[in-house]
Amino acid sequence: ERDVLYTDVEATRLRQEAVEKLLPPIFRINEEIGASKLRQFADFRRTLEQLAAVEGSSETVFLKLQLAFPGVLQKPELEKLLRRAPIADLLARTQELLAAIYRRGLLRLPDTDAEVLSVGSIELWHWREGRLEKQTAPVKELLTRQGLKAWLEAAVKDLPVEQALLAVRLAEAFAVENGFLDIEQTLKAKARAVEGVEPVQAKLARDQVILRKGDLVTEEAALQIKALSEYSANVSSSQIVGNALFVLIVYGLCLFL
């Protein structure tokens, strides 16, 4: 006697819900944003180095720099930078910092209590050398605007204090978010994961009451009735085949008598 199995709808729903919530959201790095800001910083660096080489007055350098890059540096900051001879080393270091930020990704995250981040990690998509790479990263290790200053300060701790402050200030001025939640791909991935969930199979107990008079027929009750009907049909078919086989055997034996 075999078990009567049916699909447990509620257990299957809970399993699907767990799979959906445990799937990390997908974020994409926009490579063009990083490339554009790096080009902008390279122009800033070239302009500042040229002005510092030909202009004798920091006031003139400041005013001309404001024409092309307004607000990037305050006058006292520029004066501190110009006192360094040469300034190229500090600007080169800042450019390296920016390149590292955009390679890693400066992400714009939803609210920290958002359900999309409840799993504690994300799947990060970005293109490297013409190939799409996907990696899983813990949320606590992601680089965001809120954590950028601390990350920069740790990266330049080998520099003298004044130079480190200037490098951080410049990097912050040219750093913008380049990683964003891809809602469309996240929803597609969740839908595929849910579709792939195996239904939970449950077993009808002997003498189990499926419905009582007046009860509404739920989806689960309907599946139990269907499973029981299929079981009964299979049992009846097996009995018919068994009886027919017995008759044939008896008939065959009679031929030899």
Side-chain angles (χ1 to χ4, degrees):
E1 180 180 352
R2 67 183 181 84
D3 294 330
V4 181
L5 301 177
Y6 69 96
T7 299
D8 189 325
V9 176
E10 179 62 15
T12 301
R13 184 191 67 78
L14 291 173
R15 177 181 286 180
Q16 290 173 331
E17 184 178 283
V19 166
E20 181 182 8
K21 289 185 176 181
L22 287 172
L23 196 72
I26 296 171
F27 282 72
R28 278 185 180 270
I29 298 296
N30 187 321
E31 286 77 15
E32 181 52 38
I33 291 177
S36 175
K37 296 303 290 186
L38 286 172
R39 288 193 297 269
Q40 186 181 8
F41 182 81
D43 291 341
F44 169 83
R45 175 184 175 182
R46 183 166 49 252
T47 299
L48 180 54
E49 288 177 349
Q50 291 173 350
L51 289 173
V54 299
E55 298 293 344
S57 167
S58 61
E59 177 71 21
T60 303
V61 173
F62 177 72
L63 292 175
K64 289 187 175 181
L65 195 62
Q66 298 310 300
L67 295 176
F69 301 95
V72 171
L73 285 175
Q74 300 300 317
K75 188 176 179 182
E77 294 171 330
L78 177 63
E79 290 173 345
K80 290 179 181 178
L81 185 59
L82 293 176
R83 285 200 296 267
R84 295 197 70 254
I87 62 174
D89 291 344
L90 185 59
L91 293 175
R93 180 67 176 273
T94 304
Q95 194 161 354
E96 292 173 1
L97 290 172
L98 286 169
I101 289 171
Y102 290 121
R103 279 196 306 271
R104 177 171 178 163
L106 185 58
L107 273 61
R108 178 183 298 170
L109 299 181
D111 295 335
T112 53
D113 59 348
E115 184 177 342
V116 71
L117 298 177
S118 61
V119 69
S121 63
I122 69 166
E123 186 173 300
L124 190 59
W125 291 11
H126 51 102
W127 289 89
R128 292 191 191 278
E129 299 177 354
R131 184 178 61 184
L132 179 63
E133 293 186 359
K134 304 176 183 180
Q135 64 184 71
T136 301
V139 170
K140 62 182 180 180
E141 295 180 8
L142 300 176
L143 184 58
T144 64
R145 173 61 69 180
Q146 291 78 7
L148 178 61
K149 186 171 184 178
W151 184 87
L152 286 169
E153 289 173 345
V156 296
K157 61 184 180 181
D158 59 304
L159 296 177
V161 174
E162 188 174 278
Q163 295 180 33
L165 291 173
L166 287 170
V168 170
R169 174 71 179 84
L170 281 172
E172 285 185 309
F174 287 89
V176 296
E177 292 165 327
N178 70 327
F180 309 94
L181 175 65
D182 190 326
I183 292 289
E184 181 180 358
Q185 291 299 330
T186 297
L187 292 178
K188 286 181 178 179
K190 287 181 179 291
R192 286 193 300 268
V194 169
E195 288 175 3
V197 171
E198 289 289 333
V200 177
Q201 296 295 308
K203 182 171 64 174
L204 281 174
R206 182 182 294 273
D207 300 326
Q208 177 178 338
V209 177
I210 298 176
L211 287 174
R212 291 182 175 86
K213 186 177 180 179
D215 288 348
L216 293 176
V217 180
T218 63
E219 182 180 2
E220 183 165 346
L223 289 170
Q224 291 174 346
I225 294 170
K226 180 182 178 183
L228 190 58
S229 299
E230 291 174 349
Y231 172 78
S232 299
N234 288 334
V235 169
S236 298
S237 299
S238 298
Q239 289 175 342
I240 291 171
V241 171
N243 292 337
L245 183 60
F246 176 74
V247 171
L248 288 174
I249 292 172
V250 172
Y251 180 76
L253 289 173
C254 290
L255 293 178
F256 290 97
L257 294 177

